[in-house]
Amino acid sequence: MMDASPTLRTQRLILRQFQASDADTVQRLAGVKEVAAGTFLPHPYDLEAATKWIAQQQENFAAGNTIALAIVLAQEEQLIGSIGMEIAREHQLARLSYWLGVAYWNQGYCTEALQAVLDYGFTRLSLHRIYAPHFHNNPASGRVLRKVGMTHEGRMREHYIRFGQFVDVVIYGMLREEFLNRRRGA
Ligand SMILES: CC(C)(COP(=O)(O)OP(=O)(O)OC[C@H]1O[C@@H](n2cnc3c(N)ncnc32)[C@H](O)[C@@H]1OP(=O)(O)O)[C@@H](O)C(=O)NCCC(=O)NCCS
């Protein structure tokens, strides 16, 4: 079991636990096809699905295997997306996932959120490895992962089916030592 869900702060963002009252914003942002296309979010995505997902996150966190944080603009107190990790304790490993509402893309928010989550994962949870898969046809996600210093580890060809098409999946990873070295400027 982990302690209470963390609240992480960055220059422009607050990353906090989802609340039931976030459901309509989550539905509106995550219900857009461009957002769904990079993820396995259900599509179409209705309010009931968003409400259930939020309740599920709270349970998952309590069980100690998932952390999902709302990405909130600190000044405007506006929810703009989600970032999370699925944790495999037995391997000291976590897998990242994230999405942002389309209006908030390409302003560095995901990179900023991801840095805070990596820091939390490696220093607070003492994870050994954090990795992220992304669909090959989603270069923005690969760019974010490179910007935070993760290593391209490979590509699984036609690994999943998304919207009826086989998609290649690209894997990026980072080890704790690499994160610490990077932070030290080594
Ligand atoms: C992936 C995603 C979270 C990125 O969020 P973001 O806040 O826009 O990311 P950032 O602004 O921190 O960085 C985006 C980078 O990708 C680059 N980029 C954007 N579109 C691109 C494209 N088509 N090809 C290559 N690079 C691209 C941007 O220029 C930027 O890099 P730069 O800072 O060097 O200019 C967002 O696009 C998203 O929510 N997509 C839909 C959901 C999704 O795919 N989630 C990821 C699942 S693995």
Side-chain angles (χ1 to χ4, degrees), residues 84-88 93-97 127 129-133 160:
M85 290 194 289
E86 189 156 322
I87 297 161
L93 169 70
R95 188 186 67 214
L96 294 163
S97 58
L127 295 171
R129 166 174 163 80
I130 297 178
Y131 77 106
Y160 288 132

Side-chain angles (χ1 to χ4, degrees), residues 24-53:
D24 56 347
T25 310
V26 168
Q27 185 278 324
R28 186 167 46 79
L29 300 179
V32 172
K33 179 107 186 206
E34 290 96 316
V35 175
T39 67
F40 280 115
L41 281 161
H43 190 77
Y45 193 52
D46 63 17
L47 186 59
E48 195 190 340
T51 302
K52 276 194 183 152
W53 181 79

